[in-house]
Amino acid sequence: MSKAHHRKKHPEAVRRQVLAVAARLSLEKGPASVTLDAVSQAAGVSKGGLLHHFPNKLSLLDGLFDDVTQNLDRVLAERMKVDPEPKGRFTRAYIGAFFQPEGLEDGERWKVLTVALISEPHLRDRWREWFDRHLVENIGTDSSLDATLARYAVDGLWLDDLLGVSVIDTAMRATLLKRLLDMSRL
């Protein structure tokens, strides 16, 4: 028997490594560079090992989407749990998750996912479903015009940060953050 049959398998570690490598390849060389062959080679796993987790490129992107949105769900839930004011709670959690001067915890994976959302209708549909689910869950508390404007504004700021388009100084950021949080309460 080969060593592969005797070594311990760590499927979750392999899955995480494959996703990290796919994200890195996409950032360094563009989304077209994310082929199953390139990912398996760069990750140091057999193509069969990769195919066990991700049978095609779209399932790899789905895996990245799932990881990023599950983490986002966790962050939102944690922020909402400690916010005592129901009105605008989801919007404030959303603002807090995306309005980060140091960037998102999953910033690099969000960059990859953003490009994929633009180019993959399937992922756009999944993002729309994710967002719609949260809006429906919070319809009584976060459906005001001001809360909607605050979420759209933070989306624009987040995209600006993600792309590195402009740099907003600390004082302006603090003012924007306060204004957006105030809007969530209207």
Side-chain angles (χ1 to χ4, degrees):
M1 279 195 209
S2 72
K3 285 184 179 183
H5 293 291
H6 294 293
R7 73 171 179 235
K8 288 190 174 198
K9 308 288 184 186
H10 301 285
E12 188 52 35
V14 170
R15 181 183 180 283
R16 283 192 310 270
Q17 168 143 349
V18 166
L19 288 172
V21 165
R24 183 178 49 82
L25 283 174
S26 183
L27 283 173
E28 291 173 359
K29 300 178 182 178
S33 70
V34 181
T35 64
L36 296 180
D37 286 330
V39 171
S40 68
Q41 194 170 36
V45 299
S46 68
K47 189 151 181 198
L50 172 69
L51 292 172
H52 171 75
H53 295 284
F54 306 104
N56 54 47
K57 184 175 176 177
L58 187 56
S59 68
L60 190 59
L61 292 172
D62 275 332
L64 181 63
F65 181 92
D66 291 341
D67 279 3
V68 169
T69 55
Q70 286 168 7
N71 188 49
L72 180 57
D73 282 337
R74 181 186 54 74
V75 168
L76 292 173
E78 288 170 1
R79 288 177 176 274
M80 290 174 71
K81 186 176 180 180
V82 298
D83 185 340
E85 186 179 344
K87 184 168 176 66
R89 184 181 290 151
F90 168 73
T91 298
R92 285 188 298 283
Y94 188 82
I95 291 167
F98 284 101
F99 197 100
Q100 300 290 327
E102 69 281 356
L104 283 168
E105 180 182 319
D106 292 335
E108 296 301 303
R109 294 189 312 162
W110 272 106
K111 286 180 185 178
V112 173
L113 190 58
T114 300
V115 171
L117 286 169
I118 292 167
S119 61
E120 292 289 341
H122 164 73
L123 292 178
R124 269 195 313 276
D125 290 343
R126 290 195 66 199
W127 177 250
R128 189 177 306 108
E129 289 167 8
W130 179 93
F131 205 84
D132 286 349
R133 176 174 50 87
H134 284 282
L135 291 179
V136 167
E137 288 171 1
N138 297 286
I139 200 161
T141 58
D142 290 83
S143 51
S144 73
L145 177 62
D146 289 308
T148 302
L149 284 170
R151 288 190 305 273
Y152 276 117
V154 84
D155 285 347
L157 289 166
W158 166 74
L159 186 60
D160 188 71
D161 286 345
L162 196 66
L163 299 174
V165 175
S166 65
V167 177
I168 300 172
D169 66 54
T170 305
M172 176 63 89
R173 273 191 106 75
T175 302
L176 287 169
L177 179 58
K178 182 181 180 326
R179 177 75 56 90
L180 292 171
L181 291 172
D182 288 346
M183 288 176 70
S184 74
R185 292 178 173 89
L186 299 176

